Amino acid sequence: MSVGAGARGELTRHDPRRPSDIRVDLRLIADMIQPESRVLDIGCGDGQLLRYLVQTRNVVGRGIELSQAGVNASVAQGLSVVQGDADSDLSDYPTQAFDYVVLSQTLQATRNPRRVVSELVRIGRKAIISFPNFGYWRVRWRLLTAGRMPRTGALDYEWHETPNIHLCTILDFVDLCDRLGARVERRISLTSGGRNSLVQRSLHVANLFGEQAVFLVSRPLPQPVP
Amino acid sequence: MPSQGHTVELGSDVPLKLDCGVKLGPFTVAYQTYGRLNEQKSNAVLVCHALSGDQYVASTHPLTGKPGWWHILVGPGRPLDPDRFFIICANVLGGCMGTTGPASVNPETGKPYGLTFPVITIADMVRAQAMLLDHLGIPDLFCVIGGSMGGMQALQWAAMYPERVYTAIPIACAARHSAQNIAFHEVGRQAIMADPEWRAGEYSLHSTTPRAGLAVARMAAHITYLSEAALRRKFGRKLQNRSAFTYGFDADFEVESYLRHQGITFVERFDANSYLYITRAMDYFDMSADHGALANVFANTKVRFCLVSFTSDWLFTTWEMREIVHALNAVAADVSFVEIETDKGHDAFLLDEPELHATLSGFVNAAADRRGVAPAPREASV
């Protein structure tokens, strides 16, 4: 999605010509992915993560991207990417078609995040979801002290022009996973300085100090018949 | 560009069984080739032409003297580079540039087929192409590519011979011909058949041809290849070599003059009965007809697809291309889809669209690398 692409470009500087030079949150996502697996990257932007995964993990990669420029750039590099929308196009895919489905910095811009997450864990054996954490202390502080909609590095928009229509906190996301019966296998919170091990310990600490979060979630296991 | 023109007689031992039930054979296929087949036979590319196209994809047309219809895409240093690929383009079955069609002589009667030529389908065209590949000793295609009716053939190839197709690139087409498109084709056919010179399809026996009817058919069709925006940009309401209306029915407007020119030049190179048969083949095209859902056509396909549509194309819309993408996603096929922003309408696939070139170069070369097709020698592509 263009939103994801835009957010991805703004977070840290990177040189797209060097596959090893990849943004820190994308590197975290890549590290969760087993080599040779099948990966669907939703909102793949200009294909930075997909290209990295194909080159370094030898994955079978597919992408969905909303912006025409992103799709064209990806396909021109030989990546398999279709123009599409996380809200409307995921229902086409068969169940468990991929080992991993990645949704990076895009969930907050979807119209129906609950349906999107449930589709992610249906299509993929595992879903990797990253998003900006609205529980981050700077966000809380700005709203509390200035009484204005917060603007931070990860959320750098005026309220009236933001594409981010469904912001959530880390706690909110964990709650959504519970409601969907999805299992959180891993959770990594990123501070503005990158990964900080202290922040990972407690959910409430992570929710306060994490500027972004990366979750590895799997589909609900079939319930045993009582 | 160096190319070779060939004709071959096929179907003399085993005739081609057409969808309409008729067995056709022997029949002739006329084709051009560019480049050389490599030792592994892994670099063959089949270019499928559109309704009014022919095999002269990248060589000067023998009748019009114009450059090949896709010379922008096919040539040294271009996305389809004969220094890397062995490129084949054959005149379709039912055509009029050397392949057997209604203007050909029926060996059984010694007279042109005319309307006794069996009605053909897109699948029949593809079957004839497969027989050509058999004749050339080419087991499978690295790529089958085409726009419009050529895109239909590319889809049909992937559906009918998935084991013989490594990549398929259908451009500006659809999995079924729409009611609107059938309607436009019917207008064209009625224009031809309303021309008294058509003589129930036997015009060649009377040494005449339905020029006016075919020209009108072409004029009507040509409008559908453009867009309102492109017409406005190119012509607007500009007058043709005059400063005021003539208050008559001469071509006062530039757009009228342009269309008349399109009609007149088309008649010089195209057979009216071929136009009837080929438009009919497109009308009959509906990939899901025998399969229930389109996705079933492509179940378990290993073919790598790259689909391209154009924003202002109202003949084969992005929506129709997206339907194919949805079907391919439903079977988790390897698919890329690019919509290109342009105001040039359906014709954009034939024009110099940099985004189209970048897309095709990227997709084709990445796939060729994966297949181990040797890249073009550098000095050759200067």
Side-chain angles (χ1 to χ4, degrees), chain A residues 38 61-62 68 71-72 75-84 89 92-94 97-98, chain B residues 306 322 325-326 329-330 332-341 355 358-359 362-363 366:
Chain A
R38 291 170 58 84
R62 305 278 164 73
Q68 188 180 316
V71 178
N72 296 11
V75 177
Q77 300 170 62
L79 299 168
S80 298
V81 173
V82 299
Q83 199 159 28
D89 292 332
D92 293 334
Y93 290 89
F98 294 91
Chain B
C306 179
R322 209 179 272 286
V325 174
H326 289 321
N329 280 341
D334 189 337
V335 53
S336 291
F337 168 57
V338 173
E339 183 188 28
I340 290 168
E341 178 89 38
E355 290 270 17
T359 298
F363 178 80

Side-chain angles (χ1 to χ4, degrees), chain A residues 8-90:
Chain A
R8 282 186 190 186
E10 284 151 20
L11 284 173
T12 48
R13 282 156 201 258
H14 70 273
D15 182 350
R17 288 162 299 184
R18 290 172 51 201
S20 57
D21 189 2
I22 183 172
R23 228 178 54 215
V24 58
D25 63 318
L26 295 184
R27 173 71 64 88
L28 280 179
I29 292 171
D31 287 346
M32 292 179 177
I33 291 173
Q34 296 289 324
E36 319 273 330
S37 51
R38 291 170 58 84
V39 180
L40 176 66
D41 185 4
I42 300 160
C44 64
D46 64 2
Q48 193 194 153
L49 175 66
L50 266 184
R51 186 177 57 235
Y52 180 81
L53 289 171
V54 168
Q55 288 175 356
T56 66
R57 299 281 193 285
N58 198 29
V59 304
V60 175
R62 305 278 164 73
I64 303 179
E65 167 62 28
L66 190 58
S67 85
Q68 188 180 316
V71 178
N72 296 11
S74 301
V75 177
Q77 300 170 62
L79 299 168
S80 298
V81 173
V82 299
Q83 199 159 28
D85 186 328
D87 273 305
S88 52
D89 292 332
L90 298 184

Side-chain angles (χ1 to χ4, degrees), chain B residues 264-326:
Chain B
I264 290 163
T265 52
F266 188 60
V267 170
E268 302 303 325
R269 68 176 178 89
F270 215 86
D271 174 59
N273 283 339
S274 261
Y275 197 85
L276 301 182
Y277 277 87
I278 298 175
T279 54
R280 204 64 180 146
M282 291 177 77
D283 292 352
Y284 282 162
F285 188 64
D286 179 359
M287 298 196 80
S288 54
D290 301 333
H291 295 84
L294 186 56
N296 299 341
V297 178
F298 298 110
N300 302 317
T301 186
K302 296 276 188 289
V303 179
R304 295 145 183 84
F305 290 86
C306 179
L307 290 83
V308 183
S309 72
F310 300 94
T311 50
S312 54
D313 186 345
W314 57 280
L315 194 63
F316 293 101
T317 61
T318 289
W319 183 84
E320 290 176 282
M321 291 297 273
R322 209 179 272 286
E323 257 197 336
I324 305 168
V325 174
H326 289 321

Side-chain angles (χ1 to χ4, degrees), chain A residues 80-124:
Chain A
S80 298
V81 173
V82 299
Q83 199 159 28
D85 186 328
D87 273 305
S88 52
D89 292 332
L90 298 184
S91 58
D92 293 334
Y93 290 89
T95 298
Q96 305 280 284
F98 294 91
D99 297 313
Y100 299 92
V101 179
V102 177
L103 187 75
S104 160
Q105 302 292 333
T106 299
L107 183 67
Q108 75 280 0
T110 61
R111 287 189 298 279
N112 192 336
R114 179 182 172 139
R115 195 172 58 205
V116 168
V117 172
S118 79
E119 285 289 54
L120 296 181
V121 293
R122 179 186 66 81
I123 299 166

Side-chain angles (χ1 to χ4, degrees), chain A residues 78, chain B residues 84 142 166-167 304 362-373:
Chain B
R84 184 168 204 186
F142 161 66
Y166 190 74
T167 62
R304 295 145 183 84
F363 178 80
V364 165
N365 287 317
D369 291 346
R370 255 199 310 268
R371 203 182 200 207
V373 177

